[in-house]
Each structure stands twice: as C-alpha cells, then as structure tokens.
Amino acid sequence: KWQRGMETLAGRVNDMSHIIDVCDREADIYEYLAYQQQHQHRFVVRASDNRNVLDDETSTGKLHDVLQALKPVACYQVYVAQRGGRPARTAHVALSYTQLTIKKPQRANAEKTLTLNVVYCQEVDQDRKDPLQWILYTSEPLPDAAAALRIVRFYELRWLRDRPSRL
C-alpha cells in the first residue's frame, strides 16, 4: 500500500524532488525502502524492526546495538500528544545520527543491502515505563546535528493536528 501510494502521487505530480514522504513504523518494509531509493524519492520512515546491519565489510550487528553505542550530538524536546490513557507531555530526547548499511532479510526480494541515513532519538528520562524512542531512516543528507533535528521535526509534524497552537 505504501508503494502504491507513492506511485499514485508520482503519477499526479510532475516533480517529486520537493516531496518528502513521512511514514510511521508500518512502512518499515525492506522492499519499500529499496523502492524509495531506486526511484530517488525523499523519505523519512520510522523503523520498527531491529535489523541486521553491516558493521564493516564482513561482520554483522544489530541496529539497536549500533545506535545505543552512538554519542548524542544534541538534545531536543518533543511534544507527545495524549492518546488512549497516556497524558500529553513534553519528552526530552537525546539525538544522534549516522549512516548504516542494513542487510536484506531472507524473505525480501530486493537488493542485498541498503545504505541509509539514520536519526536516533531516545528519551533521556530513563525512569519512564515506556520512554520515547524513534529510529528514523531517511534519504536526506545528514551533514550535521541541525540536519538531523530537521528530520525529527518532519517526523514530529505528522502530529500537527494534535499539537497545541504554540507554533
């Protein structure tokens, strides 16, 4: 469904270069990420799987382990809307970013590896039962912390309708 949506959009828009597709965890599908790269689409996709990543040419690690080892480069506040029994709040997160190569799952029908830019946001209040944690794959370049913060902001804006009017 994610790919069909992008194909429909591409059929209606002459120039896709100014569009960034922002997707939640449901879009963390290896073939969809490969499709986005193959068509040079711009995207931000929240990861859901703890994928295998190449640490170097031959060794493999897990995505979460690699990201946990990164040093934060910035701090950020994220407004978390009320949902279900969870009250609205402001989360204080540490932000880091890197470029990783993820390996194709056995069942996938796509390239053997995908190299993606990754932004990692983790709430610093470790006393929380369910701290906020976002792993965001993106096609956007990440030359510095400001660019990584911009990706977080794109992802956060998907909640625009739920935000208080402080913008």
Side-chain angles (χ1 to χ4, degrees):
K1 76 179 182 182
W2 298 100
Q3 184 172 330
R4 280 193 312 266
M6 285 304 292
E7 289 168 348
T8 299
L9 181 61
R12 294 179 181 173
V13 176
N14 291 334
D15 181 14
M16 292 282 289
S17 67
H18 63 284
I19 295 172
I20 299 177
D21 185 25
V22 180
C23 304
D24 226 331
R25 290 180 282 198
E26 282 186 347
D28 182 11
I29 302 164
Y30 191 87
E31 292 90 337
Y32 181 63
L33 295 168
Y35 165 84
Q36 292 283 57
Q37 279 194 335
Q38 179 183 13
H39 289 85
Q40 298 178 350
H41 290 166
R42 298 171 70 191
F43 62 88
V44 174
V45 173
R46 183 173 172 194
S48 92
D49 296 326
N50 189 14
R51 296 186 180 277
N52 290 319
V53 297
L54 293 178
D55 288 337
D56 57 38
E57 298 283 327
T58 58
S59 68
T60 303
K62 290 302 237 178
L63 174 65
H64 293 174
D65 296 333
V66 171
L67 296 176
Q68 288 287 335
L70 294 176
K71 292 187 178 174
V73 296
C75 291
Y76 186 71
Q77 292 185 356
V78 175
Y79 174 77
V80 180
Q82 180 275 331
R83 180 160 299 166
R86 178 188 72 197
R89 65 186 174 90
T90 299
H92 301 277
V93 298
L95 179 122
S96 54
Y97 63 95
T98 191
Q99 186 176 75
L100 293 173
T101 300
I102 60 174
K103 291 182 64 176
K104 176 180 82 71
Q106 287 183 348
R107 57 138 186 88
N109 184 18
E111 287 77 20
K112 290 174 86 171
T113 62
L114 295 175
T115 299
L116 301 165
N117 294 322
V118 182
V119 178
Y120 180 53
C121 295
Q122 183 174 13
E123 189 166 9
V124 294
D125 181 4
Q126 297 301 321
D127 295 334
R128 291 202 62 84
K129 179 181 169 185
D130 189 19
L132 181 138
Q133 178 178 315
W134 291 341
I135 300 168
L136 305 173
Y137 298 130
T138 186
S139 59
E140 298 299 290
L142 298 174
D144 53 32
L149 281 166
R150 185 171 172 248
I151 297 305
V152 174
R153 183 71 175 136
F154 287 154
Y155 187 71
E156 184 183 5
L157 284 172
R158 79 195 193 294
W159 290 339
L160 188 58
R161 66 177 170 32
D162 296 333
R163 293 182 62 83
S165 58
R166 64 180 174 91
L167 294 177

